[in-house]
Amino acid sequence: GPGGQATIPFKGSACGLMTVLGPDAPVVRMRVDGGPFFERQLLDHWCYYWRDAVVLLCEGLTDATHTLYLEVVEESPDRRILKRAPTSPFWVDHLEQAQCANRP
């Protein structure tokens, strides 16, 4: 969830993540080997339903051991990019819980 973070050591020239994407997909902020931070929005046009996805987090690195630091950004992405509004009862429950917790 928002504020969550992880440090991921990996060997190779790229790092990806197997995850589930849906209407609550966040923006993640990352850095590799202590370099500059960059952000990646995980929400895409098809996130009006939940699905398994492989997300490429970084690539083009030297084939060596690296450390990826990742954190979930607090702000919600702009859901207007969705091809249609989410209609799942799980999404309705999520919105109600977020409103109770004063989150977008």
Side-chain angles (χ1 to χ4, degrees):
Q5 52 186 274
T7 301
I8 305 167
F10 67 96
K11 182 171 178 16
S13 60
C15 182
L17 177 68
M18 180 69 181
T19 187
V20 175
L21 294 180
D24 58 347
V27 173
V28 292
R29 185 171 183 244
M30 300 169 279
R31 68 195 272 172
V32 178
D33 298 333
F37 280 99
F38 59 97
E39 290 187 353
R40 173 96 193 262
Q41 179 172 302
L42 301 184
L43 186 81
D44 63 23
H45 299 291
W46 297 272
C47 280
Y48 57 85
Y49 65 96
W50 283 273
R51 68 186 195 281
D52 292 335
V54 176
V55 177
L56 187 61
L57 299 175
C58 61
E59 62 182 327
L61 305 171
T62 58
D63 189 9
T65 301
H66 301 279
T67 303
L68 174 76
Y69 171 77
L70 177 143
E71 63 186 23
V72 179
V73 175
E74 296 282 338
E75 295 82 28
S76 296
D78 185 356
R79 291 189 188 91
R80 292 179 296 179
I81 68 166
L82 299 176
K83 287 189 173 273
R84 65 181 180 97
T87 56
S88 164
F90 297 112
W91 178 242
V92 173
D93 290 345
H94 172 77
L95 285 178
E96 288 173 0
Q97 291 173 11
Q99 288 172 350
C100 288
N102 291 322
R103 293 187 322 230

